[in-house]
Amino acid sequence: AGAATASLSGPTKAGRVVAPLRPAPPFTDLRPSESDDAARQLIGCSALLALPWVAADGPGAVAVLRNDKPQAAPPTLPTLRGHAAAVVDLEFRPVDACTSEGLQRWHLVTGGEDGLVKVWDVTEEGVSRDTYSALLTMEG
């Protein structure tokens, strides 16, 4: 006896066809920094997406968005602000310890045209308010 095969439009569960998952809508209305170097920078980790951002008060901001909730960017997005010039490099590094609420933490390292490297502490919730103080600032 040969094996039976079936062609389904989605995965099955207990013999029923389950509708395939629809991909989440993409992020829209993103306003990355206008710097040629910064405009190409986009970095993500398992929960977050970070990119240099155009802030009303000038260059040097970084937006941190939850990547599990694609959406239109709000007109006023909380950002990390600490560079005096465009941010041109970004990198996430996981932190072994979680917050007291059990949230995963990452260090986001940013490098700017101002010659500064900053280390920011972010959780899986992203950034909820404008943040001006990094954990560490190095000048090179």
Side-chain angles (χ1 to χ4, degrees):
T5 61
S7 176
L8 302 171
S9 62
T12 63
K13 182 175 181 180
R16 297 182 314 218
V17 174
V18 179
L21 294 175
R22 290 190 174 111
F27 288 102
T28 59
D29 300 326
L30 294 181
R31 295 174 298 281
S33 172
E34 295 175 4
S35 164
D36 287 340
D37 289 331
R40 290 190 286 268
Q41 286 294 323
L42 178 72
I43 191 77
C45 63
S46 61
L48 302 169
L49 175 71
L51 67 156
W53 197 252
V54 174
D57 59 353
V62 175
V64 180
L65 306 166
R66 289 182 55 170
N67 65 19
D68 64 340
K69 295 184 177 182
Q71 60 186 339
T76 56
L77 182 70
T79 57
L80 303 174
R81 299 178 184 208
H83 289 276
V87 173
V88 295
D89 202 7
L90 304 160
E91 183 69 37
F92 276 109
R93 292 289 179 213
V95 176
D96 290 336
C98 290
T99 67
S100 58
E101 295 85 22
L103 298 173
Q104 174 64 48
R105 293 174 50 221
W106 285 270
H107 285 160
L108 175 61
V109 181
T110 60
E113 289 177 346
D114 56 4
L116 299 178
V117 174
K118 293 184 172 276
V119 179
W120 308 86
D121 191 37
V122 294
T123 71
E124 64 190 81
E125 292 298 313
V127 176
S128 59
R129 67 186 189 299
D130 287 338
T131 304
Y132 294 85
S133 297
L135 285 175
L136 177 67
T137 299
M138 297 170 277
E139 190 170 354

